[in-house]
Amino acid sequence: SMSTNSAEISSAQFRETIQSTVVPSFERSCREMFSQIRDQFQHGTNELLNSLTARQYDVSKELSTSVSRSVTSVVQESLTKLESGIHQVVKKELEATKHVQPQQLVDALIRAGTPVPASSPTAAQSDVRRDLRPRLLSLIREKAINQAFHEALSASDLQAVLTVCQNVNPEEIFSMRPIPLQQNVLMSLTQQL
């Protein structure tokens, strides 16, 4: 009976020692381990989110750049085609006006509703025309084609416009880069012709 008693006492003391020392230590160790696991998980999740956010920004930037390049390319191509079309029309019209008799041009301008100067110029208009012709020819020789057309169109003098048209080479004008004619001159010529 003493051996049973001593086994029961030993067993009770052993149980009490485990409950008072080992179990609390084990609980603290498990709590600390789970806390470290949680911290590492949060840290890893934050790194992953930061990496994904950075990649998303890079992809957005690449996409934006690509779209911008595409739009710029399409717009540039359209502008080039438009410029080429305008140049071809003006060139064609300039070539056509070289062979048109002044009266035919006057008739065409009247049909288009464009004001045409009187066919019998006054003395003052004749003086201006005489002064303008050498100036226009000088500008053409100096390759100031835009200025020559601008002055001829501004003078509202059909003969002045014809003088410039007949003394310029459309092939030469439209082979220059950039084209020496400004947009307002091209539009006025297109309207006049």
Side-chain angles (χ1 to χ4, degrees):
S1 96
M2 195 169 202
S3 70
T4 316
N5 222 1
S6 111
E8 284 179 14
I9 292 176
S10 287
S11 182
Q13 270 194 337
F14 180 71
R15 197 176 301 124
E16 185 180 317
T17 303
I18 287 181
Q19 285 180 348
S20 66
T21 309
V22 174
V23 170
S25 267
F26 182 73
E27 283 179 351
R28 276 193 305 275
S29 295
C30 285
R31 206 172 314 137
E32 182 64 30
M33 180 180 69
F34 286 130
S35 176
Q36 288 175 359
I37 290 172
R38 184 192 71 228
D39 290 346
Q40 284 299 317
F41 181 78
Q42 284 179 340
H43 179 71
T45 303
N46 287 339
E47 282 182 357
L48 178 63
L49 285 175
N50 289 339
S51 173
L52 289 175
T53 302
R55 180 66 187 140
Q56 181 182 10
Y57 174 76
D58 291 343
V59 167
S60 296
K61 189 173 180 180
E62 288 172 12
L63 182 61
S64 173
T65 302
S66 175
V67 167
S68 177
R69 281 188 200 133
S70 295
V71 168
T72 301
S73 174
V74 167
V75 167
Q76 188 65 33
E77 185 178 317
S78 296
L79 286 175
T80 302
K81 286 179 182 178
L82 179 62
E83 181 182 359
S84 175
I86 288 173
H87 291 157
Q88 288 175 358
V89 168
V90 171
K91 180 178 171 182
K92 181 179 168 187
E93 292 299 325
L94 281 174
E95 279 294 322
T97 60
K98 277 189 166 183
H99 306 293
V100 173
Q101 297 298 320
Q103 188 56 45
Q104 290 173 318
L105 189 54
V106 169
D107 293 343
L109 290 173
I110 290 171
R111 281 193 305 275
T114 305
V116 178
S119 57
S120 57
T122 64
Q125 288 174 329
S126 293
D127 290 341
V128 169
R129 191 176 291 157
R130 269 189 301 243
D131 292 341
L132 187 58
R133 182 173 167 69
R135 168 96 175 118
L136 294 175
L137 293 174
S138 172
L139 288 170
I140 292 168
R141 277 190 301 279
E142 294 169 7
K143 301 291 185 202
I145 306 299
N146 189 70
Q147 185 65 30
F149 273 112
H150 180 72
E151 288 187 21
L153 290 165
S154 296
S156 296
D157 183 356
L158 178 61
Q159 290 300 326
V161 174
L162 284 175
T163 298
V164 177
C165 287
Q166 291 170 345
N167 287 285
V168 296
N169 180 355
E171 295 291 328
E172 185 180 327
I173 291 173
F174 292 107
S175 66
M176 294 179 185
R177 292 292 179 245
I179 302 297
L181 300 177
Q182 293 178 349
Q183 185 178 9
N184 59 344
V185 170
L186 287 171
M187 297 304 285
S188 293
L189 278 173
T190 304
Q191 181 183 9
Q192 292 285 325
L193 301 174

